[in-house]
Amino acid sequence: MKKSLLALVLIFIVCLLSVSCTTDSYDSDLENNATNVHADDATVTVETDPIIIPKKD
């Protein structure tokens, strides 16, 4: 009983550690992509139509 419980706890800890490492690399990739997107947005100018407010009768 104790050996099986210990094995389950070890498997659970290994799963948590692997998820933690995966999310760290994912977060760093996400930050790099966000920086690239912001740099691309700075070079693009977007023209919008003027707002036309109708006159009241």
Side-chain angles (χ1 to χ4, degrees):
M1 179 69 184
K2 289 183 181 181
K3 289 184 180 182
S4 62
L5 184 62
L6 180 63
L8 289 175
V9 170
L10 287 176
I11 291 171
F12 181 72
I13 290 173
V14 168
C15 289
L16 286 179
L17 290 175
S18 67
V19 168
S20 175
C21 293
T22 304
T23 56
D24 288 343
S25 65
Y26 178 76
D27 289 341
S28 66
D29 289 342
L30 190 62
E31 288 175 5
N32 290 339
N33 289 339
T35 304
N36 292 340
V37 168
H38 290 305
D40 292 341
D41 287 345
T43 59
V44 175
T45 57
V46 177
E47 295 182 15
T48 57
D49 294 333
I51 299 172
I52 300 172
I53 301 173
K55 294 182 180 179
K56 294 182 181 179
D57 291 332

